[in-house]
């Protein structure tokens, strides 16, 4: 295994109990520090794939290795290394205050009280949540909840952060705020996997685009090369898809 | 979300918030015992003590008034059913017993609201674990996790009811006066929604390496907590002694 490789997926197939096959023989490798955009129409298998990286689902056949360890043998290691930000931020909230919710993950890792506190403070600062630290999470706005979900995950200090539809139900400032934090995470050395069907918002910042179609990887290339093909896979192409992909950024 | 103010933890720094959760549980059990063992003086004492405790915890009833209507309606049902069931023992007795039952129900609801408002689920987890751990064969960690997670689920459940009712109103289908039909029409979508939310919550917990044996709050005995608890239990103890011997 290459030193730079952090995720290796080999012949991953996932079938549900009702017989539906969500993923079919997926092969993919992800290097440390990459920013990958996973796109595809609804039901193409993106979310199921993201849950395999966090060992929430186990392969029906094939395997997923995180840092050389298979998720089936060491799910705890997979969860420490890969943080997953869920699409519905509400379902991810378990703490009664913002501070407690962020502390929940590090406490589960059995870290000392001092380390937990340091991580919580750092996550609050990073995600601009300091002023909301003692607020009830359910009273936050959609954008704030999404930032809380990200803070709760980065407090566990994973090397890889997977975002499942992080822009859904957010207004323009909300999208900009969340995107800014995702880009900052990538710049600070995290490997980022962004799962979305709304590629316009993040294509400018990704190194690579993987398009899922009917449980298979149909395209794996740079965003610039992938953009002309996206409509064929049920993804809305960005308005200026002929332009340089870097021009599409929402962070101007 | 977040429309429902009842049965949530309300962050605060009052003495009641800071009280050792073991004493909070002791206080709650003491009050419930007094309500079941006592007479109207106990009810009055519990009412006064709960008012004092709520004021000291900075909880104002007007923030719960919409949700309290549901419980007041249930108290009315309890009163009415008991009143008619006991009429053969005389009008006054039936009226008195019905009133006491309704009053007791509201006091227990109030206790629950106050307890959840000043107790973090992680504290409840710690205290249930502390209580059950010495009992051999009892999965203390799992039961404690269930108890604390139930406090996380209650707001989701109430928010779900609120959302479904609003959706029904907006579609003009909330005119049914039959409470059984209304209950059924809300319960079906609610259970479906709740099951999906629970599945997502379970996955979210797993993805954050949830470990039921990890305590997210630690318990520390403080003498001032014991004194505070005694102050709030003493009036009931005195009343009980008076009730038994005089």
């Amino acid at each position: 295994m290459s030193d730079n490789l952090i995720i290796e997926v080999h012949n991953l197939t996932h079938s549900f109990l009702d017989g539906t096959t969500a993923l079919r023989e997926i092969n993919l490798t992800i290097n440390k520090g990459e920013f990958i955009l996973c796109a595809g129409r609804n039901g193409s298998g993106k979310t199921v794939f993201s849950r395999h990286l966090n060992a929430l689902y186990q392969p029906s056949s094939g395997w997923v290795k995180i840092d050389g360890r298979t998720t089936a043998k060491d799910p705890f290691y997979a969860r420490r290394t890969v943080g997953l930000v869920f699409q519905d931020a509400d379902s991810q909230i378990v703490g009664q205050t913002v501070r407690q919710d962020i502390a929940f993950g590090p406490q589960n890792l059995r870290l000392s009280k001092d380390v937990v506190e340091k991580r919580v403070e750092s996550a609050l600062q990073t995600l601009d949540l300091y002023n909301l630290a003692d607020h009830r999470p359910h009273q936050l706005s959609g954008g704030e909840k999404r930032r809380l979900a990200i803070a709760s995950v980065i407090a566990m200090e994973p090397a890889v952060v997977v975002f499942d539809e992080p822009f859904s139900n957010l207004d323009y400032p909300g999208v900009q705020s969340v995107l800014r934090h995702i880009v900052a995470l990538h710049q600070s050395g995290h490997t980022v996997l962004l799962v979305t069907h709304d590629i316009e918002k993040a294509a400018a910042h990704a190194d690579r685009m993987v398009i899922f179609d009917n449980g298979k990887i149909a395209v794996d290339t740079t965003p610039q090369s992938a953009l002309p093909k996206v409509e064929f896979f049920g993804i809305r192409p960005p308005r200026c898809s002929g332009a340089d992909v870097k021009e599409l950024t929402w962070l101007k | 979300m977040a429309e429902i103010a009842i049965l949530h933890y309300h962050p605060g720094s009052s003495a009641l918030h800071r009280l050792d959760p073991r004493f909070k549980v002791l206080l709650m059990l003491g009050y419930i015992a007094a309500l079941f063992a006592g007479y109207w003086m106990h009810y009055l004492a519990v009412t006064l003590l709960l008012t004092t405790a709520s004021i000291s915890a900075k909880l104002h009833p007007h923030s719960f008034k919409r949700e309290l209507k549901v419980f007041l309606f249930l108290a009315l049902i309890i009163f009415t059913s008991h009143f008619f069931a006991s009429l053969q023992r005389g009008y006054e007795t039936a009226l008195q017993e019905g009133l006491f039952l309704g009053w007791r129900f509201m006091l227990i609801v109030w206790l629950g609201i106050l307890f959840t408002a000043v107790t973090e689920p992680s504290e409840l987890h710690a205290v249930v674990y502390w209580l059950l751990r010495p009992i051999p064969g009892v999965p203390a960690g799992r039961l404690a996790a269930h108890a604390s997670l139930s406090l996380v689920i209650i707001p989701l459940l109430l928010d779900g009811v609120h959302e479904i009712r609003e959706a029904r109103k907006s579609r003009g289908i909330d005119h049914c006066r039959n409470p059984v039909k209304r209950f059924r029409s809300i319960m079906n979508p609610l259970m479906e929604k709740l099951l999906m939310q629970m599945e997502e919550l379970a996955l979210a917990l797993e993805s954050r390496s949830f470990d039921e044996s990890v305590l997210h709050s630690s318990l520390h005995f403080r003498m001032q907590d014991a004194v505070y608890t005694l102050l709030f239990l003493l009036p009931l103890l005195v009343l009980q002694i008076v009730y038994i011997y005089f």
Side-chain angles (χ1 to χ4, degrees):
Chain A
M1 193 185 91
S2 153
D3 279 352
N4 207 31
L5 203 62
I6 191 154
I7 296 175
E8 203 179 349
V9 181
H10 179 73
N11 281 343
L12 171 65
T13 297
H14 185 98
S15 301
F16 287 106
L17 289 175
D18 65 357
T20 315
T21 303
L23 297 174
R24 300 159 201 271
E25 298 187 344
I26 300 278
N27 287 291
L28 189 76
T29 52
I30 298 173
N31 290 319
K32 285 176 185 165
E34 273 193 301
F35 187 142
I36 299 181
L37 194 60
C38 284
R41 68 180 92 218
N42 291 343
S44 59
K46 314 183 292 290
T47 295
V48 175
F49 176 71
S50 69
R51 290 181 177 186
H52 272 278
L53 302 182
N54 193 244
L56 290 178
Y57 290 166
Q58 289 300 335
S60 304
S61 65
W63 46 256
V64 177
K65 279 185 182 174
I66 309 293
D67 243 352
R69 304 187 199 191
T70 56
T71 53
K73 280 188 186 159
D74 200 346
F76 188 67
Y77 183 79
R79 282 171 205 147
R80 283 187 74 155
T81 312
V82 181
L84 176 60
V85 180
F86 281 65
Q87 182 175 356
D88 179 12
D90 278 312
S91 64
Q92 197 174 330
I93 294 168
V94 285
Q96 295 290 300
T97 64
V98 167
R99 190 184 290 278
Q100 285 172 12
D101 194 61
I102 297 173
F104 183 78
Q107 283 169 339
N108 281 324
L109 297 178
R110 295 178 182 269
L111 301 171
S112 71
K113 205 178 168 187
D114 288 347
V115 176
V116 171
E117 271 174 24
K118 272 184 196 159
R119 287 194 181 189
V120 171
E121 294 296 311
S122 165
L124 285 169
Q125 295 275 14
T126 309
L127 273 299
D128 297 328
L129 288 166
Y130 217 92
N131 295 334
L132 302 168
D134 296 315
H135 281 56
R136 272 176 46 206
H138 289 286
Q139 284 179 331
L140 303 181
S141 71
E144 289 165 347
K145 277 182 193 170
R146 206 59 57 89
R147 269 160 43 212
L148 170 59
I150 299 171
S152 306
V153 167
I154 66 161
M156 295 174 77
E157 297 194 350
V160 182
V161 187
V162 180
F163 296 89
D164 189 3
E165 299 286 1
F167 309 122
S168 59
N169 303 325
L170 291 187
D171 58 9
Y172 180 52
V175 170
Q176 280 189 313
S177 166
V178 169
L179 182 59
R180 194 170 291 117
H181 287 108
I182 293 174
V183 171
L185 272 176
H186 178 232
Q187 284 167 351
S188 67
H190 288 83
T191 305
V192 172
L193 209 91
L194 201 155
V195 176
T196 183
H197 60 266
D198 197 0
I199 57 171
E200 185 178 301
K201 290 163 185 163
H205 305 281
D207 308 315
R208 202 169 142 193
M209 192 189 292
V210 174
I211 299 178
F212 283 78
D213 186 50
N214 200 23
K216 288 182 175 177
I217 291 181
V219 175
D220 181 0
T221 181
T222 61
Q224 188 76 57
S225 312
L227 286 184
K229 304 168 192 166
V230 296
E231 200 165 6
F232 180 74
F233 296 104
I235 306 162
R236 179 182 172 273
R239 257 184 286 170
C240 315
S241 50
D244 179 1
V245 72
K246 299 290 175 199
E247 294 294 311
L248 298 173
T249 181
W250 279 44
L251 297 182
K252 278 178 183 168
Chain B
M1 294 291 285
E3 288 288 327
I4 307 285
I6 211 167
L7 299 173
H8 279 298
Y9 173 65
H10 290 248
S13 56
S14 70
L16 206 54
H17 279 88
R18 286 180 278 116
L19 188 68
D20 185 325
R22 288 171 291 190
F23 286 118
K24 288 181 197 173
V25 172
L26 183 68
L27 270 172
M28 198 164 74
L29 293 177
Y31 282 22
I32 290 174
L35 288 176
F36 279 92
Y39 66 126
W40 69 271
M41 281 296 282
H42 286 79
Y43 287 34
L44 192 64
V46 171
T47 308
L48 290 173
L49 288 167
L50 282 181
T51 308
T52 314
S54 300
I55 291 168
S56 78
K58 295 189 175 72
L59 287 174
H60 302 290
H62 63 79
S63 53
F64 309 125
K65 62 183 177 193
R66 194 182 55 190
E67 292 88 353
L68 279 177
K69 277 183 197 166
V70 178
F71 292 107
L72 277 169
F73 178 70
L74 290 174
L76 189 68
I77 291 176
I78 291 170
F79 164 74
T80 316
S81 55
H82 193 84
F83 175 75
F84 286 111
S86 314
L87 258 181
Q88 74 259 29
R89 286 194 278 140
Y91 174 80
E92 265 186 37
T93 313
L95 185 70
Q96 198 181 42
E97 285 184 1
L99 277 173
F100 280 165
L101 276 180
W103 190 2
R104 183 163 74 189
F105 172 76
M106 286 311 291
L107 287 175
I108 291 170
V109 168
W110 192 353
L111 262 172
I113 292 170
L114 189 61
F115 182 77
T116 50
V118 298
T119 312
E120 296 171 21
S122 59
E123 288 181 326
L124 185 65
H125 186 158
V127 78
V128 174
Y129 187 73
W130 177 80
L131 280 168
L132 299 180
R133 197 184 43 179
I135 306 171
V138 172
R142 179 155 299 177
L143 291 173
H146 286 181
S148 63
L149 282 174
S150 65
L151 283 187
V152 175
I153 292 163
I154 288 169
L156 291 177
L157 184 79
L158 294 175
D159 282 334
V161 172
H162 182 68
E163 269 179 29
I164 291 165
R165 286 192 63 189
E166 295 286 299
R168 288 175 60 80
K169 273 184 196 166
S170 76
R171 293 167 65 198
I173 48 173
D174 201 39
H175 303 307
C176 180
R177 291 267 166 213
N178 184 332
V180 178
K181 275 189 182 171
R182 277 169 73 105
F183 181 75
R184 274 180 55 192
S185 68
I186 287 177
M187 282 312 281
N188 288 345
L190 178 68
M191 283 301 121
E192 210 166 300
K193 186 179 160 75
L194 201 64
L195 280 173
M196 283 171 72
Q197 272 183 326
M198 289 311 99
E199 198 180 332
E200 282 290 296
L201 179 66
L203 286 172
L205 287 172
E206 218 174 317
S207 83
R208 289 166 77 186
S209 304
F210 178 60
D211 183 344
E212 60 196 21
S213 63
V214 170
L215 296 181
H216 297 270
S217 278
S218 47
L219 303 170
H220 301 288
F221 176 82
R222 295 182 308 168
M223 189 48 80
Q224 67 213 65
D225 285 348
V227 173
Y228 192 88
T229 307
L230 197 64
L231 274 175
F232 272 85
L233 277 180
L234 204 60
L236 294 174
L237 286 172
V238 171
L239 273 176
Q240 193 60 29
I241 292 165
V242 171
Y243 180 62
I244 293 170
Y245 294 104
F246 304 99

